[in-house]
Amino acid sequence: MTMTGKTGRVLLIYTGGTIGMGKNPDTGALEPLDFNHLLECLPEFQQIRTSVSVFQFENPMDSSDMNPDVWIRLCHIISDNYSGYDGFVILHGTDTMAYTASALSFMLENLTKPVILTGSQLPIGQLRTDGKENLVTSLELAAAKDSNGHAIVPEVAIYFSGNLLRGNRSTKKSAENFNAFESYNYPHLGSAGVNIKWASHHILKPDFSKPMTPHFKMNPNVLVFSLFPGIQESIFRNLLEIPELKGIVMRSFGAGNAPHQKWLIDLLGDASEKGITVVNVSQCMAGAVEMDLYDNGFQLQKAGVITGLDSTVEAAVTKLMFLHGQYDDPQTVRRLLQTDIAGEITGF
């Protein structure tokens, strides 16, 4: 479906999520419905100033089922349509939105157009839904250009409840508040009230003279593991002996600390020698890993554990998948994990 007589062109990609859900008459549970249901609940869609084309997934999905194959499909959809649109909006469930935003930020190299992910906490058919404003404003953000004709937000971002956030810095913080996302370690890219206010100095500046380069390989053989008091050697050893394992996001304490146990340091050292990439990310929502701050963290560093700096878990795990999908050399992966490639980490 394409709307004519408008200014600017945006491709709206509908994957599913709460925004388009309805109640199953038999169970009363919410389930994804097709895009026509969403349009029936949004007569304002016809008044949007931007020309909008719609790409709908044949089977709208709950975002809990999101996976790297879908990210690759989204990357193909965007790259195949890249020249024909000023920007892209992806309607997505909130539970894994930050993972998808992070993955796409790595897969779409030198992105020069907006890719805005949004959704809602309440289905768009409900009276108090937040879905209408999120969708309408996201379409406006995706079409916005500066005086030079360049996109104002040439990066993957999440728009939710008046806030525009860098996608690979975002985390879902609430299951019930409309203000569901935050980027604890990076300022907001903008805000939408009566007017849209841009934080231009925080927005990525790509090379507009160069093309966007899509990447379609992801290696999902990674896992996320949280340290906790009382962690057992046998459990952790079995994890590290998984034959296909390529990388681990290890959620440590505070500024990157771990229990001062010889067996833990030995196992992590053995994993690094086998080519398994272990990246250290703090369990804290804000702040960064500084492994040279305390002796426990320094021992991790000696064992070959890589600092995740101020990365979110979502960005760290998708970056691991991305890098192991692109490179066979563990040392290259280790180096790039500590390199800011899409605005996902801050150097210290």
Side-chain angles (χ1 to χ4, degrees), residues 2 17 37 61 83 99 104 106 154 162 169 175 183 192 209-210 228-229 253 271 292 320 326 336:
T2 303
H37 165 77
M61 61 189 301
S83 62
Y99 288 94
L104 291 177
F106 304 126
R169 293 290 192 139
S183 54
S209 68
K210 294 182 179 179
F228 56 91
F253 306 128
D292 54 358
L320 263 182
Q326 310 305 309
L336 291 175

Side-chain angles (χ1 to χ4, degrees), residues 116-157:
I116 311 294
L117 285 84
T118 194
S120 66
Q121 293 284 65
L122 286 175
I124 205 163
Q126 293 193 14
L127 183 62
R128 294 180 54 251
T129 184
D130 54 328
K132 291 184 180 182
E133 192 278 326
N134 286 347
L135 172 55
V136 170
T137 303
S138 292
L139 291 169
E140 186 172 350
L141 295 171
K145 293 185 178 181
D146 62 19
S147 57
N148 296 316
H150 294 150
I152 294 180
V153 192
E155 59 175 285
V156 180

Side-chain angles (χ1 to χ4, degrees), residues 102-348:
S102 296
L104 291 177
S105 75
F106 304 126
M107 299 169 78
L108 300 168
E109 181 183 348
N110 195 51
L111 184 64
T112 57
K113 298 181 180 183
V115 175
I116 311 294
L117 285 84
T118 194
S120 66
Q121 293 284 65
L122 286 175
I124 205 163
Q126 293 193 14
L127 183 62
R128 294 180 54 251
T129 184
D130 54 328
K132 291 184 180 182
E133 192 278 326
N134 286 347
L135 172 55
V136 170
T137 303
S138 292
L139 291 169
E140 186 172 350
L141 295 171
K145 293 185 178 181
D146 62 19
S147 57
N148 296 316
H150 294 150
I152 294 180
V153 192
E155 59 175 285
V156 180
I158 288 176
Y159 176 76
F160 230 86
S161 191
N163 297 314
L164 183 64
L165 313 175
R166 176 163 297 163
N168 59 29
R169 293 290 192 139
S170 301
T171 294
K172 184 176 180 181
K173 68 175 185 178
S174 176
E176 63 176 36
N177 293 331
F178 287 150
N179 187 17
F181 289 88
E182 187 54 88
S183 54
Y184 291 98
N185 285 327
Y186 197 78
H188 293 185
L189 305 183
S191 61
V194 175
N195 298 301
I196 295 176
K197 297 180 180 180
W198 309 99
S200 300
H201 51 297
H202 294 311
I203 297 173
L204 289 176
K205 304 297 189 293
D207 187 339
F208 287 99
S209 68
K210 294 182 179 179
M212 185 275 290
T213 303
H215 300 278
F216 303 112
K217 292 183 179 179
M218 298 286 279
N219 189 327
N221 293 307
V222 305
L223 59 84
V224 179
F225 185 83
S226 291
L227 296 176
F228 56 91
I231 181 175
Q232 294 298 299
E233 177 181 357
S234 58
I235 302 295
F236 196 57
R237 182 184 297 277
N238 286 333
L239 286 176
L240 295 178
E241 291 176 353
I242 298 172
E244 299 83 7
L245 185 62
K246 290 292 185 181
I248 297 174
V249 176
M250 186 178 71
R251 300 181 68 239
S252 61
F253 306 128
N257 297 313
H260 201 282
Q261 302 282 348
K262 184 178 184 302
W263 63 261
L264 178 61
I265 302 301
D266 289 345
L267 286 177
L268 291 170
D270 292 343
S272 295
E273 289 182 7
K274 289 192 297 184
I276 297 172
T277 310
V278 183
V279 58
N280 186 1
V281 174
S282 176
Q283 294 180 23
C284 300
M285 300 300 289
V289 164
E290 299 178 69
M291 289 195 293
D292 54 358
L293 193 60
Y294 298 101
D295 182 64
N296 288 20
F298 183 70
Q299 296 303 318
L300 294 176
Q301 203 169 14
K302 286 179 63 178
V305 175
I306 299 297
T307 175
L309 295 172
D310 59 348
S311 175
T312 64
V313 171
E314 295 91 337
V317 70
T318 53
K319 188 175 182 180
L320 263 182
M321 292 182 186
F322 171 75
L323 292 176
H324 278 291
Q326 310 305 309
Y327 305 101
D328 294 324
D329 175 31
Q331 293 305 315
T332 300
V333 172
R334 292 166 63 87
R335 175 177 59 81
L336 291 175
L337 275 171
Q338 298 173 90
T339 303
D340 179 20
I341 62 177
E344 75 281 3
I345 55 175
T346 305
F348 293 94

